Amino acid sequence: VLLDGIGQLASADVVRLGRQMASALSAAHRKNVIHRDLKPDNLMLVADPDIPGGERVKILDFGIAKLAEGLSGAASVTDSNLVMGTPAYMAPEQCKGAKLVTDRSDVYSLGVIFYQMLAGRPPFIADAAGALLIMQVTETVPPLAQFAQDAHPALSNLIAAMLAKEPTVRPAMETVQAE
């Protein structure tokens, strides 16, 4: 079952599934791999009776993943300034071009997914991809409490940090996993 279309989840479910996603992405980041296209369509829930909740998240489609020279929060060099990804889930720096993508871009995308899991919708909605790109770069993320009043405050705070416009302010994926 794909994670896309599951609607709103309770904070406990977001934490359980989110920890799995962050763990997998932390492992990728330790190998200097940045996914660059995290979105619900690239997440699959599979049965796994050996873990709490009985299901495991698998991250799919590393097709536009990138090997980074280092994951210190500094942008790595690429040969292109192309915009690659899915606009509703792209970090502001990714919206500006591929050469600006870092591991913190994946943190932002995962923050959008967490937001959507709790709110039942991503932070920004528009009819055109260009409008979404502009919103990601320029607009303030609507407070999660506006759409998910029951979200646990600590989780809401973590998501707000993950959705910071400035990549160096976002937590590392290992921090997301721990929190």
Coordinates of all heavy atoms in Angstrom, one line a residue, residues 117-157:
M117 N 0.7 14.0 6.7 CA 0.2 12.9 7.4 C -0.7 13.4 8.6 O -1.7 12.7 8.9 CB 1.4 12.0 7.9 CG 2.1 11.3 6.8 SD 3.7 10.5 7.4 CE 3.1 9.2 8.4
L118 N -0.3 14.5 9.2 CA -1.1 15.0 10.3 C -2.3 15.9 9.8 O -3.4 15.8 10.4 CB -0.2 15.8 11.2 CG 0.7 15.0 12.1 CD1 1.8 15.9 12.7 CD2 0.0 14.3 13.2
A119 N -2.1 16.7 8.8 CA -3.1 17.6 8.4 C -4.0 17.1 7.3 O -5.1 17.7 7.0 CB -2.4 18.9 7.9
G120 N -3.6 16.0 6.6 CA -4.4 15.5 5.5 C -4.2 16.3 4.2 O -4.9 16.1 3.2
R121 N -3.2 17.2 4.2 CA -2.9 18.0 3.0 C -1.4 18.5 3.2 O -1.0 18.7 4.3 CB -3.8 19.1 2.9 CG -3.9 20.0 4.2 CD -4.4 21.4 4.0 NE -3.4 22.2 3.5 CZ -3.6 23.4 3.0 NH1 -4.8 23.9 2.9 NH2 -2.6 24.1 2.5
P122 N -0.7 18.8 2.1 CA 0.6 19.4 2.2 C 0.4 20.9 2.6 O -0.7 21.5 2.5 CB 1.2 19.3 0.8 CG 0.0 19.1 -0.1 CD -1.1 18.5 0.7
P123 N 1.5 21.5 3.1 CA 1.4 22.9 3.5 C 0.9 23.9 2.4 O 0.2 24.8 2.6 CB 2.8 23.3 3.9 CG 3.5 22.0 4.1 CD 2.8 21.0 3.3
F124 N 1.4 23.6 1.1 CA 1.0 24.5 0.0 C 0.3 23.7 -1.0 O 0.6 22.6 -1.4 CB 2.3 25.1 -0.6 CG 3.1 25.9 0.4 CD1 4.4 25.5 0.7 CD2 2.6 27.1 1.0 CE1 5.1 26.3 1.7 CE2 3.3 27.8 1.9 CZ 4.6 27.4 2.2
I125 N -0.8 24.3 -1.6 CA -1.6 23.7 -2.6 C -1.8 24.8 -3.7 O -2.1 25.9 -3.4 CB -3.0 23.3 -2.1 CG1 -2.8 22.2 -1.0 CG2 -3.8 22.8 -3.2 CD1 -4.0 21.8 -0.3
A126 N -1.6 24.4 -5.0 CA -1.7 25.3 -6.1 C -2.1 24.5 -7.3 O -1.8 23.3 -7.3 CB -0.5 26.2 -6.3
D127 N -2.6 25.1 -8.3 CA -3.0 24.4 -9.6 C -1.8 24.2 -10.5 O -1.9 23.4 -11.4 CB -4.1 25.2 -10.3 CG -5.4 25.1 -9.5 OD1 -5.7 24.1 -8.8 OD2 -6.2 26.0 -9.7
A128 N -0.8 25.0 -10.4 CA 0.3 25.0 -11.3 C 1.6 24.7 -10.5 O 1.8 25.2 -9.4 CB 0.4 26.3 -12.1
A129 N 2.5 24.0 -11.2 CA 3.8 23.7 -10.6 C 4.6 24.9 -10.3 O 5.2 25.1 -9.2 CB 4.6 22.8 -11.5
G130 N 4.6 25.9 -11.2 CA 5.3 27.1 -11.0 C 4.9 27.9 -9.7 O 5.7 28.4 -9.0
A131 N 3.5 27.9 -9.5 CA 3.0 28.5 -8.3 C 3.5 27.8 -7.1 O 3.8 28.5 -6.1 CB 1.5 28.6 -8.4
L132 N 3.5 26.5 -7.1 CA 4.0 25.8 -5.9 C 5.5 26.1 -5.7 O 5.9 26.2 -4.5 CB 3.9 24.3 -6.1 CG 2.5 23.7 -5.8 CD1 2.4 22.3 -6.3 CD2 2.2 23.8 -4.4
L133 N 6.3 26.2 -6.7 CA 7.7 26.5 -6.5 C 7.9 27.9 -5.9 O 8.7 28.0 -4.9 CB 8.4 26.5 -7.9 CG 8.6 25.2 -8.6 CD1 9.1 25.4 -10.0 CD2 9.4 24.2 -7.8
I134 N 7.1 28.8 -6.3 CA 7.1 30.2 -5.7 C 6.7 30.1 -4.2 O 7.3 30.8 -3.4 CB 6.3 31.2 -6.5 CG1 6.9 31.4 -7.9 CG2 6.1 32.5 -5.8 CD1 6.1 32.1 -8.9
M135 N 5.6 29.4 -4.0 CA 5.1 29.3 -2.6 C 6.2 28.7 -1.7 O 6.4 29.1 -0.6 CB 3.9 28.5 -2.5 CG 2.7 29.1 -3.2 SD 1.3 28.0 -3.5 CE 0.4 28.4 -2.0
Q136 N 6.9 27.6 -2.2 CA 7.9 27.0 -1.3 C 9.0 27.9 -1.0 O 9.5 27.9 0.1 CB 8.5 25.7 -2.1 CG 7.5 24.6 -2.3 CD 7.2 23.8 -1.0 OE1 7.3 24.3 0.1 NE2 6.7 22.6 -1.3
V137 N 9.4 28.8 -1.9 CA 10.5 29.7 -1.7 C 10.1 30.9 -0.9 O 10.8 31.4 0.0 CB 11.0 30.2 -3.1 CG1 12.1 31.3 -2.9 CG2 11.7 29.0 -3.8
T138 N 8.8 31.5 -1.1 CA 8.5 32.8 -0.5 C 7.5 32.8 0.6 O 7.5 33.7 1.4 CB 8.0 33.7 -1.6 OG1 6.8 33.2 -2.2 CG2 9.0 33.9 -2.7
E139 N 6.6 31.8 0.7 CA 5.5 31.9 1.6 C 5.8 31.2 2.9 O 6.5 30.1 2.9 CB 4.2 31.3 1.0 CG 3.7 32.2 -0.1 CD 2.3 31.9 -0.5 OE1 1.6 31.1 0.2 OE2 1.9 32.3 -1.6
T140 N 5.3 31.7 4.0 CA 5.4 31.0 5.3 C 4.5 29.8 5.3 O 3.3 29.8 4.9 CB 5.0 32.0 6.4 OG1 5.8 33.2 6.3 CG2 5.1 31.4 7.8
V141 N 5.0 28.7 5.9 CA 4.2 27.5 6.0 C 3.1 27.8 7.0 O 3.3 28.3 8.1 CB 5.1 26.3 6.5 CG1 4.3 25.1 6.9 CG2 6.2 26.0 5.5
P142 N 1.8 27.4 6.6 CA 0.7 27.6 7.5 C 0.9 26.8 8.8 O 1.4 25.7 8.7 CB -0.5 27.1 6.7 CG -0.1 27.1 5.3 CD 1.4 26.9 5.3
P143 N 0.6 27.4 9.9 CA 0.7 26.6 11.2 C 0.0 25.3 11.1 O -1.1 25.2 10.6 CB 0.1 27.5 12.2 CG 0.1 28.9 11.6 CD 0.0 28.7 10.2
L144 N 0.7 24.2 11.5 CA 0.1 22.9 11.5 C -1.2 22.8 12.3 O -2.2 22.2 11.9 CB 1.1 21.9 12.0 CG 0.7 20.4 12.0 CD1 0.3 20.0 10.6 CD2 1.8 19.5 12.6
A145 N -1.3 23.6 13.4 CA -2.5 23.6 14.2 C -3.7 24.1 13.5 O -4.8 23.8 13.9 CB -2.2 24.5 15.4
Q146 N -3.5 24.8 12.4 CA -4.6 25.3 11.6 C -5.4 24.1 10.9 O -6.6 24.2 10.7 CB -4.1 26.2 10.5 CG -5.1 26.8 9.6 CD -4.5 27.8 8.6 OE1 -3.4 28.4 8.9 NE2 -5.1 28.0 7.5
F147 N -4.7 23.0 10.7 CA -5.3 21.8 10.0 C -5.3 20.6 10.9 O -6.0 19.6 10.6 CB -4.6 21.5 8.7 CG -4.5 22.7 7.8 CD1 -3.3 23.3 7.6 CD2 -5.7 23.1 7.1 CE1 -3.3 24.4 6.8 CE2 -5.6 24.2 6.3 CZ -4.4 24.8 6.1
A148 N -4.5 20.5 12.0 CA -4.4 19.3 12.8 C -4.3 19.8 14.3 O -3.2 19.8 14.9 CB -3.1 18.5 12.4
Q149 N -5.4 20.1 14.8 CA -5.5 20.7 16.2 C -5.0 19.6 17.2 O -4.5 20.0 18.3 CB -6.9 21.1 16.6 CG -7.4 22.3 15.7 CD -7.9 21.8 14.4 OE1 -8.2 20.7 14.1 NE2 -8.1 22.8 13.5
D150 N -5.1 18.3 16.9 CA -4.7 17.3 17.9 C -3.3 16.9 17.8 O -2.8 16.0 18.5 CB -5.6 16.1 17.7 CG -7.1 16.4 18.0 OD1 -7.3 17.3 18.8 OD2 -8.0 15.7 17.5
A151 N -2.5 17.5 16.9 CA -1.1 17.1 16.8 C -0.3 17.4 18.0 O -0.5 18.4 18.7 CB -0.5 17.8 15.6
H152 N 0.5 16.5 18.4 CA 1.3 16.6 19.7 C 2.2 17.9 19.5 O 2.9 18.0 18.4 CB 2.1 15.4 19.9 CG 2.8 15.4 21.3 ND1 3.9 16.1 21.5 CD2 2.4 14.8 22.4 CE1 4.3 15.9 22.8 NE2 3.4 15.1 23.4
P153 N 2.3 18.8 20.5 CA 3.1 20.0 20.3 C 4.6 19.7 20.0 O 5.2 20.4 19.2 CB 3.0 20.7 21.7 CG 1.7 20.1 22.2 CD 1.6 18.7 21.7
A154 N 5.2 18.7 20.6 CA 6.6 18.4 20.3 C 6.8 18.0 18.8 O 7.7 18.4 18.2 CB 7.1 17.3 21.2
L155 N 5.8 17.3 18.3 CA 5.9 16.9 16.9 C 5.6 18.1 16.0 O 6.3 18.2 15.0 CB 4.8 15.8 16.6 CG 4.8 15.2 15.2 CD1 6.2 14.6 14.8 CD2 3.7 14.1 15.2
S156 N 4.7 18.9 16.4 CA 4.5 20.1 15.6 C 5.7 21.0 15.6 O 6.0 21.6 14.5 CB 3.3 20.9 16.2 OG 2.1 20.2 16.0
N157 N 6.4 21.1 16.7 CA 7.6 21.9 16.7 C 8.7 21.3 15.9 O 9.5 22.1 15.2 CB 8.1 22.1 18.2 CG 7.2 23.0 19.0 OD1 6.4 23.8 18.5 ND2 7.2 22.8 20.3

